[in-house]
Amino acid sequence: MSTITSTQASGNSNTSRTFLTALVTNAALLVIEVGAFVVLKRKFSRIYSPRTRLPPPDKRAQELPSNLWKWLIAVIRSPTDDIIHKNGLDAYMFLRFLKMLVWIFLTFTALTFAVIVPVIAANVKNSQSGLDRISWNNIIDPKDQPRLGAHVAVVYVLTIFVIYMIRREMLHFVHMRHQFLISKSHSRLAQARTVLITSLPDELATEHDLRTFASFVPGGVDNVWILREHSALNEIFKERQDICRKLEAAEANLLVTATKAWRIKEKARHKAHKSRSKDIENADDVLVIPTPSYELLTELVPLANRPKHRIGLFGPKVDTIDWCKNEIVRLNGMIKDHRMNMIEGKPLGSAFIRCNLQMGAHVLAQCVSYHEPLMMYDKWMEANPKDIVWQNLDDGALEMRSRYLISWLATIGLIIVWGFPVAFIGTLSNLDDLCNRVQ
C-alpha cells in the first residue's frame, strides 16, 4: 500500500473552513427549498395534492394535515392498502424506494462514524487538525497504513447491505405485483384479460384464424379486434381532439378573465365601503357571491372580451367557444356516419385478443409464436387504450428493430462527439499541473 506524504496531505487538505462553508450554504438552500415547498403546498393544494380533489370520491386520498410538519408523519404512517387503493401500486413502490434510500443513508452514516472515524483519528502520530483528522490525510506514517484496511472492510459490508436491501425490495415488489394482478378489483378489468400482439402475419389477419390459433388457452377467447386501416375516420377523430383542446383552453381563459373581473369588482366595493362615513348602518364590505349562471359570466366578461380567433389566414374572427361547440357537433355527426357505413379496411399487423380468464391471457402472451422470424414476437399484457400510441401500431417488426438500432448508434455517436470537448475542457482545468510536469 502506498504511503501518503505530509506534502500530499497538506495539498489535498479538507479544511474545516471549507466544510463549514459548504455546510452553511447547503443548509440555507435546504431551508429555503423546504420552506418554499411547505408554503406552496398549503397555498396550491390543487397542484400539490390533486388526488384529494380530482378523482372520484371513492378514489380520493385522505387530505393531509395542514400543519407545517404533521403531513410528513401522516405520509409515513399511511396504511399500505389505502395507498395502493387510492394512488396505485407505482406510488406505493415509490414510497418504499424512498424509505429504502433513507435506511441505506442512515446505515452508511452510523457505520462510517462508528468504525472509520475512530480508526482514522485515534492514537495517530503527527495527527492533522480540524476535519483533516478524520480523513485519509490523517494517515501519514507508514506504520499507520494498516488502518486503511478498515475502509476496505466497511466497503464490503456496506456493499453487501445495499445488495440485500435491493433484493428484499425486488422480492417484495414481485409479491405485491402478483397480489395486485390477481385482486378482484383488477382482475375483473378487460385490460387484465387482453393481449396485444404486433407484427401479425397476413395468414392470421382474420378473427376466425386468430380464434383458432388461440383456442388452446384455458377458458377460451372472448373477443378479437384487428387493427385496420381507417385513415379518413382517424383524421376526423384527430381534428375533433384538436378542437376539444382548443375549446378547453378557451374556456379556461374565459374563467380566468371572469375571476380577475370579480376580484377587481370585490376590491372596488371594499374600497368604496371604507371611504364612506362610519355612521352608515348595515355597511357590508363583503360582496355576496351569486349563483353561477351565464348572465353572471356575461356581466363579468362582455361578449366583446370573450376568446376569439381567426378562421384561416384572412378569414373573419369568430367566438372561439361557440365555434368549437358547433364544430364538435358537426364532427360527431361525421364520425357517427363513418362508423355506420364503415368498410372493413386493410389489416395493419396488430390485434387485441381478450380471453375469458386472466390466466388464459397470461398463457397466450407466453406461448404465442410463429415460424417466421420477427413475426408475432412482441406481446403486451395489461394494454390500456390510454397508454397506446395508436400511430405506432402499424409499424412492422423490421422497422421497429431499425429504430432500435438507430437509437443505439445515435447514442454512441453522441457520446463520442461529446468526448472531444469534455477532454479539451479537462485539459484546460489541469493546465497548471501539466505545465509543471513539462517544466
Side-chain angles (χ1 to χ4, degrees):
M1 188 175 293
S2 61
T3 304
I4 300 176
T5 65
S6 58
T7 304
Q8 293 173 333
S10 60
N12 298 324
S13 175
N14 296 319
T15 61
S16 302
R17 182 179 302 175
T18 304
F19 174 77
L20 291 177
T21 301
L23 181 64
V24 171
T25 303
N26 287 280
L29 290 175
L30 177 64
V31 171
I32 293 173
E33 292 176 359
V34 174
F37 170 75
V38 172
V39 173
L40 294 176
K41 177 182 174 298
R42 298 177 64 184
K43 188 174 182 180
F44 302 103
S45 59
R46 187 180 179 87
I47 297 176
Y48 289 93
S49 304
R51 297 198 65 86
T52 61
R53 299 171 178 268
L54 302 182
D58 60 325
K59 288 288 186 179
R60 290 181 184 176
Q62 185 176 2
E63 192 168 356
L64 297 176
S66 59
N67 188 275
L68 291 178
W69 305 110
K70 286 185 178 180
W71 61 271
L72 182 59
I73 301 175
V75 170
I76 297 175
R77 295 181 177 179
S78 298
T80 301
D81 297 336
D82 188 60
I83 295 176
I84 296 176
H85 176 68
K86 300 293 180 62
N87 301 88
L89 185 61
D90 292 339
Y92 168 72
M93 292 308 304
F94 181 70
L95 289 178
R96 292 273 307 189
F97 173 72
L98 295 180
K99 290 180 181 178
M100 182 189 71
L101 294 182
V102 171
W103 278 112
I104 291 176
F105 170 77
L106 292 178
T107 304
F108 271 55
T109 304
L111 192 59
T112 52
F113 272 83
V115 177
I116 299 297
V117 172
V119 169
I120 293 295
N123 298 324
V124 177
K125 296 180 180 179
N126 301 323
S127 179
Q128 302 289 324
S129 61
L131 290 176
D132 292 333
R133 189 175 181 183
I134 60 175
S135 68
W136 289 79
N137 301 329
N138 197 46
I139 306 299
I140 300 176
D141 194 339
K143 295 181 180 180
D144 294 328
Q145 294 295 315
R147 294 171 178 258
L148 299 178
H151 288 266
V152 179
V154 170
V155 166
Y156 276 104
V157 171
L158 293 178
T159 302
I160 294 173
F161 174 72
V162 171
I163 295 174
Y164 163 75
M165 293 293 292
I166 294 175
R167 183 178 181 276
R168 191 187 72 165
E169 290 302 315
M170 287 297 298
L171 293 176
H172 181 74
F173 167 72
V174 172
H175 171 73
M176 294 301 299
R177 183 174 182 271
H178 287 171
Q179 296 298 318
F180 177 77
L181 291 177
I182 64 177
S183 62
K184 292 183 179 180
S185 60
H186 181 78
S187 59
R188 63 181 176 83
L189 300 177
Q191 72 180 58
R193 298 178 285 114
T194 303
V195 182
L196 168 60
I197 303 175
T198 58
S199 303
L200 195 68
D202 295 336
E203 305 89 76
L204 298 177
T206 63
E207 181 178 350
H208 177 267
D209 293 335
L210 281 177
R211 284 183 177 274
T212 304
F213 184 83
S215 59
F216 65 91
V217 301
V221 175
D222 179 28
N223 209 337
V224 175
W225 297 272
I226 299 175
L227 182 67
R228 298 185 180 275
E229 198 275 331
H230 296 290
S231 56
L233 180 60
N234 292 337
E235 290 297 327
I236 297 175
F237 176 78
K238 184 179 179 181
E239 183 181 357
R240 187 182 67 173
Q241 291 295 99
D242 294 339
I243 294 178
C244 287
R245 284 190 286 268
K246 191 180 189 68
L247 174 62
E248 183 179 1
E251 289 183 343
N253 188 18
L254 178 64
L255 292 177
V256 169
T257 305
T259 303
K260 291 180 179 179
W262 177 263
R263 289 176 178 173
I264 293 174
K265 187 176 181 180
E266 191 175 29
K267 287 181 180 179
R269 181 181 176 86
H270 183 69
K271 186 176 181 180
H273 276 293
K274 276 190 173 181
S275 62
R276 291 182 182 180
S277 175
K278 294 183 179 180
D279 59 351
I280 299 179
E281 298 181 357
N282 300 326
D284 188 8
D285 291 343
V286 180
L287 188 61
V288 179
I289 302 177
T291 304
S293 62
Y294 181 78
E295 290 74 16
L296 176 60
L297 184 62
T298 306
E299 179 184 350
L300 295 174
V301 184
L303 296 177
N305 297 336
R306 286 166 61 92
K308 293 180 174 60
H309 73 282
R310 191 179 299 277
I311 300 177
L313 188 60
F314 302 103
K317 275 192 174 183
V318 295
D319 186 282
T320 301
I321 296 178
D322 294 339
W323 180 85
C324 289
K325 290 179 179 179
N326 296 331
E327 285 296 305
I328 291 174
V329 172
R330 181 181 66 85
L331 294 174
N332 284 340
M334 293 179 64
I335 292 175
K336 183 177 180 181
D337 293 340
H338 274 76
R339 286 175 174 173
M340 292 179 62
N341 304 313
M342 184 177 295
I343 301 175
E344 193 173 82
K346 174 185 175 182
L348 296 180
S350 298
F352 295 86
I353 302 178
R354 187 175 67 193
C355 302
N356 290 313
L357 299 177
Q358 186 182 22
M359 180 178 65
H362 284 268
V363 170
L364 177 63
Q366 297 177 21
C367 297
V368 165
S369 60
Y370 197 70
H371 61 275
E372 293 184 10
L374 301 180
M375 286 297 177
M376 302 180 72
Y377 180 78
D378 292 326
K379 288 88 62 178
W380 307 92
M381 282 291 303
E382 305 286 338
N384 191 300
K386 296 181 179 179
D387 299 332
I388 297 174
V389 182
W390 296 94
Q391 293 84 351
N392 295 341
L393 285 184
D394 59 343
D395 298 338
L398 184 60
E399 184 179 357
M400 296 297 295
R401 295 300 183 278
S402 301
R403 291 180 181 179
Y404 181 78
L405 179 61
I406 291 173
S407 65
W408 269 107
L409 292 177
T411 303
I412 295 173
L414 188 63
I415 294 174
I416 295 174
V417 170
W418 275 102
F420 293 102
V422 170
F424 178 72
I425 297 300
T427 304
L428 292 181
S429 62
N430 295 316
L431 193 59
D432 294 337
D433 183 59
L434 183 61
C435 293
N436 294 331
R437 289 179 180 273
V438 173
Q439 185 179 3

